Amino acid sequence: MITQINYEHKTLPTKILNIGLVLFSVGLLLAILGYAINAERASFNGVIALMFMMSIGLGSLFLIALEYLVGADWSVPFRRIIEILAVVVFAVPIFALPLFANLHSLFHWTHLEDVLKDPILKNKMPYLNEQFFTIRSIAAFILMFIFWWLLSARSLKQDQAKNENFRKTTTKYSAIFMPIFGITLTFMAIDWLMSLEPHWFSTIFGVYYFAGTFSVVMAVVTLFSIYLNENGYLVKGIGQDHYYNFGALMFAFTNFWAYIAFSQFLLIWYANIPEETFWYLHRWEGSWAVISIGMIIIHFIVPYALLLPQPAKSDPKRLKFISWWLIFAHFYDLYWLVMPIYDHHSAVFSWMELYPILLCIGAILILFYFFAKNKNLLPLGDPKLLKAINFHL
Amino acid sequence: MENKIIYGITGIFETPDEIINAAKKISESGYTRYDIHSPYPLHGMPKAMKLKPSPLGYFALVFGLTGAFAAFAMMTWMMGFDYPLIISGKPFIPIPAFIPVTFEVTVLLASVGTVLSMLFLLFKLPNNSHPLHDTDYMKQVSSNKFGVCIEAKDDLFDEQKVKDLLIQLGAKDIQVITYDNETLSFKVNIFEWKFVVFLIASALVVSAATYATLNKLMYVPPFDFMMEQHRIDAQAESKFFGKGAFSMLTPPDGTVPRNSNQFKFAGNPELADAKLLNPLLPTEENLRKGMQKYDIYCSPCHGYHGVGDARLNGQFPNPPSLHSEKIRSWGDGHIFYVITQGQNSMPSYSSQLTNEEKWQIVLYVRALQRAMNAKEEDMK
C-alpha cells in the first residue's frame, strides 16, 4: 500500500531528442530525395506517414476520452504520457501539406477529364472533388486541435489547482468527442486511404483503420510508459499489475483487427462481385501475394501467439518487444493498403519506403521530448491517482 | 466425541483484505495443506498463498488446438474428398469459408473442455461426502464471509498452535471440523445405481423427444410450414416483382457494367462500320474463344457454319446466310454493331457478351466467311 505520492520531477534525457533528431533528419533527407526523384512514389509513401501520425494523434485523444468515460482506475498514472503524445495532432497537417501539392499523382478522381468519361466517378463527383476533399481534411484537423485543447489542457492545470470538478468537465467533453472521433476517423480513412482506389468501396473500412489505430497507439503508450517507469521517471508502485492491462488491451485489439480484416475479406470473397474483388486481386498479384500472406503472420499470428500466455501480458520485456512489433505491423498494414495502388503488378520496396518509418518515429520522439520538458509525467492533481497507483489485479 | 477424527480447523474473516493478509501469514508460517474459501474470486490470492500457476491454461490450449485441427480436417475431408460440391463457384476446399467454423469449434472445444477438465480433473468432483459439507463454516463462506481451513494432514499441524495462529490473525468463530471414518469415503461414486438409472432414463427421454419432434411433430400443422412455404422456380414468372418480371431480374436503372464502354453508335451502323476497328489480332487463342462463344450464342440460329440452318425447328424465322456478298462487304465494325444492337428479330447480345468476346466472334465469323469462299491462294 502506498499512502503518499513522492513524485520528483526529472527532465527527460537528451538521448530521446538526439535519437529523434537523427531519425527525423535522415527521414527528411530521404523524403526530399524521394520527391526529387519520383514525386508520385514519394507522395504515396507520404500517405503512409500521414495515416500513421493520424493514428497516433487521434488514437491518443481517443484513449484520454475513453479513460474519462469509463472511469478507469489503472490508466490514470499513464494519462499524462498519453496527453503529451496527443500533441502529435499538430504534426498531422504538416505531414498532409506535401500531399495536397501532389493530389493529382495520388488520386485518380482529381483528373476531371477522366472522371467525366467514367459514369461511376461522375456520379461520385459531389463527394469526391478537390474542394470538398480539402474542406473535409481541414475540418478534421481543426476538430483534432479543438479536442486536443478540451481534453488535455484542464488536466495540466489540475496539477496546481487540484480542482476536482475538472474531471467532471472533461468527462462531458469526452462524451461529445466520442461520436466526433468516430466520424473524423472514418472520413479520414475513406478520404486518404479508400479513395486512392475510387472505384472500390468497403463499408467496414473505417472500422478496419480504427482497429489498427487502437493497437498501434496502445503499443506506443506501452513503450513510453514502460521505458519511463523502468528508468524511474514515474513513481514507485507502478508495476506488473498495471502492465497487464497494456498487454490485455493489445491482445484484445490484435484479435479485433484480425476479426475486422477477415470479415472484410470474407464478405468480398463470398459475394465475388468484380467491382469489389479487384482490390484484393491487386494485392494477390505477383509478389504482393507474399506481402498479403505476411500480413496475416505479422499483424495477427505472431502478436497473438506471443501475448497468449497469461504471464506474458505483464512481462515488461515481452511487452516492449510486442509494442515495437505492433508499430512495425501498422506500417506494414498501411504499406499493404497504399502501395499496391502505386504499382499492383509486384511489390515495390526500396530506400524510399523507409522514409515514413524514420520520419514518423523521429517526429514523435522530438515532439514528446519538447512537450514533456517542463511538465510532470503524472497527473498529480488527479484525485484518483493514489487509488490508481495502488491498483492491483 | 468417540470415533471422531479431526479434519482441520477453520476460522472466519470479514473482509477480503483480512483473508489475503491471513493467507500470506499462514503460508509464511510454513503450512502447505490449507485452503481458503470465499464467495467470489479474490485477486492476489494465488500470490498470497504462494500457489503454483494453474495448469488449466494448457488444458485450454490443447483442447483449442484439437478443436481447430479437427474442424479443419473434418471440413477438408467432407468438402474436398467425401462429397465434393461446387458451392457458388468456389473451389472444393475453400479455406476462407472454413475459418468461421474452425473458430467456432475451437472456442467450443476450448471452453467446454476447460470447464469439464477443471471440474473433474483438477477439482476431482463429484465428491459428495467431504467433511466440510453441511458445516456452519461452509454456510458462512458460501454467502458473505471469507474463511480459512488448515488441515490436520499438514506436517506442522498442532491443534493448539493452529488455534493460536488463527486468533492472532483475528479470525472469528474458530471451529474444529471432525469426521466419522465410516460415513466418509473419498471414492468417486459415479457408478452408484441411482445415478446410472438417472443417466439411462434421461437418455431415453431425450431420444424419444427428439425422434417425436423430427419425425412426427414436423408433419403436423402448423409446424409443417417448411413444406408449405412459397417458392419461386427458376425462369418462372414472378407475381412479386410485377407482370412480365421473371425470377431472374434485369439490373436496375443506372447500373454501370464493368469492363465495357458505352456504345456510341446506336442507330448508326454506317458510322460504326467506318469508325470501329477490331482491336484484336486473329491469333489461335482469339479464334478459339470466338468459336466457343459463336457456338453458344450464335449457332442456334445461324448454324455452326453460318449458313443460316437454325436448330430451332422454326420457332423463329431462319436468318439469312452470313456468307452473302452484302455481309462479306461489311466492315468489322458493322458486324460488331449488329451483335451489340441486334437487327430485325435478332436481339442485342450486350448483356451476354463483353466487348472483347464480341470482337473474338467477329474474328471467327471472318474466318468462317473465308473458309466458305476460299480463294485460290488459300489452298496452297
Side-chain angles (χ1 to χ4, degrees):
Chain A
M1 268 307 252
I2 288 155
T3 48
Q4 191 146 24
I5 301 163
N6 294 314
Y7 177 72
E8 203 183 314
H9 179 72
K10 286 186 242 173
T11 38
L12 291 176
T14 44
K15 209 171 99 186
I16 295 180
L17 180 66
N18 292 340
I19 295 174
L21 279 175
V22 169
L23 291 179
F24 185 77
S25 42
V26 173
L28 195 64
L29 197 75
L30 290 182
I32 292 168
L33 216 61
Y35 273 104
I37 292 170
N38 186 345
E40 192 189 342
R41 188 165 169 182
S43 40
F44 272 102
N45 279 312
V47 175
I48 298 179
L50 169 74
M51 291 319 278
F52 186 85
M53 293 304 260
M54 187 107 68
S55 286
I56 304 295
L58 263 176
S60 4
L61 290 181
F62 173 73
L63 286 186
I64 301 171
L66 192 66
E67 189 206 294
Y68 279 111
L69 278 181
V70 301
D73 286 339
W74 70 272
S75 65
V76 174
F78 312 108
R79 201 181 68 226
R80 181 56 47 80
I81 293 171
I82 307 173
E83 283 164 2
I84 294 167
L85 201 62
V87 81
V88 168
V89 295
F90 291 98
V92 174
I94 301 168
F95 275 70
L97 270 184
L99 302 181
F100 275 113
N102 284 298
L103 281 187
H104 283 295
S105 36
L106 282 174
F107 298 110
H108 178 60
W109 51 263
T110 54
H111 299 265
L112 259 187
E113 63 279 14
D114 289 353
V115 170
L116 291 175
K117 274 186 223 154
D118 189 326
I120 291 178
L121 292 188
K122 212 167 143 187
N123 286 330
K124 286 188 179 182
M125 253 175 79
Y127 183 82
L128 284 182
N129 60 68
E130 283 180 58
Q131 291 77 24
F132 193 30
F133 177 85
T134 316
I135 292 171
R136 282 196 304 269
S137 289
I138 291 175
F141 299 152
I142 291 172
L143 280 174
M144 273 153 68
F145 299 161
I146 294 172
F147 277 95
W148 172 80
W149 175 253
L150 290 177
L151 292 178
S152 72
R154 218 163 282 100
S155 162
L156 281 171
K157 263 190 237 157
Q158 204 181 28
D159 277 12
Q160 269 77 44
K162 313 245 170 196
N163 188 342
E164 292 188 14
N165 285 331
F166 282 174
R167 174 168 269 278
K168 273 185 196 161
T169 325
T170 317
T171 310
K172 274 177 205 153
Y173 288 126
S174 302
I176 299 168
F177 175 66
M178 274 300 164
I180 289 175
F181 165 78
I183 293 165
T184 314
L185 186 103
T186 310
F187 272 86
M188 287 296 95
I190 289 172
D191 283 2
W192 286 99
L193 292 173
M194 206 167 99
S195 84
L196 287 169
E197 192 79 83
H199 283 108
W200 185 73
F201 55 91
S202 160
T203 43
I204 208 173
F205 195 80
V207 188
Y208 176 83
Y209 177 66
F210 166 72
T213 292
F214 194 98
S215 64
V216 75
V217 78
M218 214 59 227
V220 173
V221 171
T222 309
L223 268 186
F224 273 114
S225 304
I226 293 182
Y227 277 125
L228 290 174
N229 191 32
E230 278 180 347
N231 294 309
Y233 289 93
L234 304 180
V235 290
K236 250 190 177 174
I238 297 173
Q240 300 213 333
D241 286 351
H242 296 87
Y243 295 167
Y244 182 84
N245 293 292
F246 288 133
L249 279 171
M250 283 196 282
F251 183 62
F253 274 81
T254 300
N255 284 312
F256 182 67
W257 178 88
Y259 173 65
I260 295 300
F262 181 70
S263 303
Q264 178 175 289
F265 170 72
L266 187 73
L267 288 191
I268 289 173
W269 176 84
Y270 246 129
N272 209 5
I273 301 170
E275 57 192 329
E276 291 171 347
T277 47
F278 78 97
W279 195 81
Y280 278 104
L281 287 174
H282 285 174
R283 281 155 185 77
W284 202 250
E285 231 181 290
S287 40
W288 280 116
V290 183
I291 304 278
S292 297
I293 289 174
M295 186 76 169
I296 306 169
I297 297 165
I298 288 173
H299 215 309
F300 175 60
I301 293 177
V302 170
Y304 179 84
L306 289 180
L307 281 172
L308 185 61
Q310 201 228 13
K313 294 191 189 73
S314 53
D315 175 13
K317 233 177 168 178
R318 178 74 61 93
L319 285 179
K320 276 190 281 187
F321 176 75
I322 285 291
S323 301
W324 281 115
W325 186 278
L326 283 179
I327 291 169
F328 169 69
H330 193 56
F331 274 115
Y332 193 92
D333 185 8
L334 290 171
Y335 172 77
W336 180 81
L337 286 174
V338 171
M339 287 320 271
I341 297 151
Y342 172 70
D343 179 3
H344 64 78
H345 297 299
S346 64
V348 282
F349 188 81
S350 73
W351 54 269
M352 219 191 279
E353 275 65 46
L354 289 175
Y355 98 70
I357 300 184
L358 299 174
L359 206 64
C360 290
I361 295 178
I364 290 169
L365 286 176
I366 295 169
L367 283 170
F368 191 89
Y369 177 82
F370 278 115
F371 206 68
K373 219 172 177 185
N374 299 315
K375 293 189 177 65
N376 298 320
L377 291 173
L378 291 165
L380 290 179
D382 198 300
K384 279 174 96 173
L385 184 61
L386 194 62
K387 190 181 169 197
I389 289 172
N390 283 314
F391 170 84
H392 286 293
L393 276 176
Chain B
M1 290 283 272
E2 63 220 281
N3 275 339
K4 294 276 177 178
I5 305 160
I6 296 178
Y7 172 75
I9 297 175
T10 61
I12 295 287
F13 293 86
E14 294 283 340
T15 66
D17 286 340
E18 276 176 36
I19 190 79
I20 286 179
N21 186 41
K24 233 181 242 168
K25 289 276 157 58
I26 293 169
S27 67
E28 275 166 15
S29 316
Y31 292 97
T32 49
R33 299 210 51 127
Y34 66 96
D35 213 349
I36 307 285
H37 300 96
S38 80
Y40 54 84
L42 294 169
H43 283 301
M45 185 52 86
K47 217 171 155 190
M49 290 173 74
K50 292 186 183 147
L51 292 181
K52 270 185 264 163
S54 161
L56 199 59
Y58 294 100
F59 285 105
L61 183 71
V62 169
F63 278 113
L65 287 177
T66 311
F69 283 113
F72 205 87
M74 178 186 79
M75 283 182 290
T76 310
W77 179 73
M78 293 196 305
M79 302 278 296
F81 302 99
D82 184 41
Y83 205 96
L85 274 180
I86 293 178
I87 297 170
S88 62
K90 303 286 188 279
F92 285 130
I93 302 176
I95 292 171
F98 288 175
I99 302 282
V101 181
T102 309
F103 169 73
E104 298 292 343
V105 178
T106 308
V107 171
L108 178 78
L109 227 69
S111 51
V112 172
T114 310
V115 168
L116 291 184
S117 54
M118 179 178 82
L119 291 178
F120 295 107
L121 295 178
L122 299 183
F123 295 173
K124 299 195 175 78
L125 292 179
N127 185 348
N128 38 19
S129 57
H130 196 276
L132 284 175
H133 281 180
D134 278 341
T135 57
D136 194 37
Y137 169 78
M138 197 37 83
K139 260 180 213 157
Q140 292 185 60
V141 297
S142 50
S143 64
N144 63 350
K145 296 279 176 1
F146 306 87
V148 58
C149 170
I150 299 177
E151 290 173 28
K153 277 184 190 158
D154 198 294
D155 296 337
L156 299 173
F157 188 82
D158 177 273
E159 211 177 321
Q160 200 50 48
K161 263 191 195 164
V162 170
K163 275 183 182 168
D164 288 347
L165 178 67
L166 288 178
I167 290 166
Q168 189 198 329
L169 290 170
K172 282 169 209 148
D173 199 10
I174 294 166
Q175 280 180 355
V176 180
I177 306 287
T178 56
Y179 64 96
D180 191 336
N181 211 10
E182 282 163 29
T183 58
L184 184 78
S185 136
F186 283 106
K187 257 191 223 158
V188 177
N189 292 333
I190 305 182
F191 296 110
E192 207 179 330
W193 70 270
K194 278 185 208 158
F195 185 63
V196 173
V197 167
F198 167 73
L199 277 187
I200 293 171
S202 44
L204 282 176
V205 169
V206 169
S207 32
T210 313
Y211 179 83
T213 310
L214 294 180
N215 293 291
K216 304 287 174 223
L217 193 64
M218 285 298 162
Y219 294 88
V220 178
F223 301 108
D224 58 348
F225 54 85
M226 204 156 183
M227 277 162 287
E228 302 295 326
Q229 67 184 343
H230 293 291
R231 66 169 191 266
I232 297 171
D233 291 326
Q235 317 254 334
E237 204 167 345
S238 156
K239 284 170 194 154
F240 184 80
F241 290 110
K243 214 167 178 169
F246 293 88
S247 49
M248 195 162 145
L249 293 174
T250 44
D253 291 339
T255 309
V256 183
R258 282 186 63 79
N259 301 326
S260 82
N261 302 320
Q262 278 166 316
F263 193 61
K264 297 186 194 101
F265 303 101
N268 205 343
E270 282 73 29
L271 194 66
D273 197 333
K275 292 254 171 157
L276 276 174
L277 276 178
N278 193 337
L280 301 178
L281 290 173
T283 60
E284 199 189 331
E285 197 200 346
N286 280 335
L287 283 170
R288 184 176 293 128
K289 279 189 179 159
M291 180 170 107
Q292 190 197 10
K293 294 292 171 189
Y294 178 90
D295 287 353
I296 293 171
Y297 293 109
C298 315
S299 76
C301 293
H302 287 285
Y304 284 114
H305 304 104
V307 292
D309 48 339
R311 301 197 298 279
L312 296 172
N313 298 324
Q315 288 181 49
F316 293 95
N318 277 13
S321 165
L322 294 177
H323 304 292
S324 65
E325 202 58 43
K326 182 181 121 195
I327 297 179
R328 278 197 293 152
S329 67
W330 280 2
D332 285 353
H334 203 133
I335 301 179
F336 185 88
Y337 172 88
V338 173
I339 300 173
T340 311
Q341 292 287 305
Q343 181 177 304
N344 301 334
S345 55
M346 173 176 167
S348 159
Y349 279 84
S350 276
S351 61
Q352 291 102 317
L353 296 167
T354 66
N355 283 355
E356 198 187 4
E357 287 163 351
K358 285 182 208 160
W359 286 120
Q360 284 162 344
I361 289 175
V362 170
L363 283 177
Y364 183 65
V365 168
R366 286 292 182 223
L368 282 179
Q369 286 172 344
R370 191 151 172 196
M372 282 284 185
N373 301 282
K375 287 175 204 151
E376 198 64 38
E377 72 242 40
D378 292 337
M379 300 307 227
K380 284 174 191 167

